[in-house]
Amino acid sequence: MLAINLAEKRDVVAAFVKSRGVTTTVLLDANKEAEKSYQIAYTPTVFLVDRQGKLVGKAIGERQWMGEQGKALLLRLLARKP
């Protein structure tokens, strides 16, 4: 799992990551290249990509990924056979 921050300063992102206990890798997109490439109009935007790099889902807006439904979805996706 990767997170990409769009154009915020490193210290702002670091403070957010620390305050929220984020444990995933957070990449910085200072030049907005990912934003342009993936045509991101709203944040957060989440792309779910399978092991082969195929897009299997997209969510715009906040979601409770650590809630019961979010965890169940992620576990189902991880269990899928190639």
Side-chain angles (χ1 to χ4, degrees), residues 5-77:
N5 182 277
L6 305 176
E8 288 186 297
K9 293 183 179 182
R10 180 179 302 272
D11 58 335
V12 172
V13 175
F16 176 84
V17 165
K18 185 175 181 180
S19 73
R20 298 288 176 102
V22 175
T23 58
T24 190
T25 301
V26 179
L27 305 176
L28 302 178
D29 185 26
N31 298 324
K32 297 187 175 189
E33 292 174 23
E35 181 178 354
K36 293 172 193 166
S37 294
Y38 290 94
Q39 300 174 349
I40 298 170
Y42 304 99
T43 59
T45 298
V46 174
F47 295 93
L48 300 172
V49 180
D50 70 12
R51 289 181 175 99
Q52 288 70 43
K54 179 182 173 188
L55 180 67
V56 295
K58 179 179 176 180
I60 298 173
E62 292 188 26
R63 299 288 192 277
Q64 295 298 318
W65 295 109
M66 296 311 294
E68 188 176 317
Q69 289 180 335
K71 285 182 180 180
L73 170 63
L74 295 173
L75 287 172
R76 281 194 309 273
L77 290 172

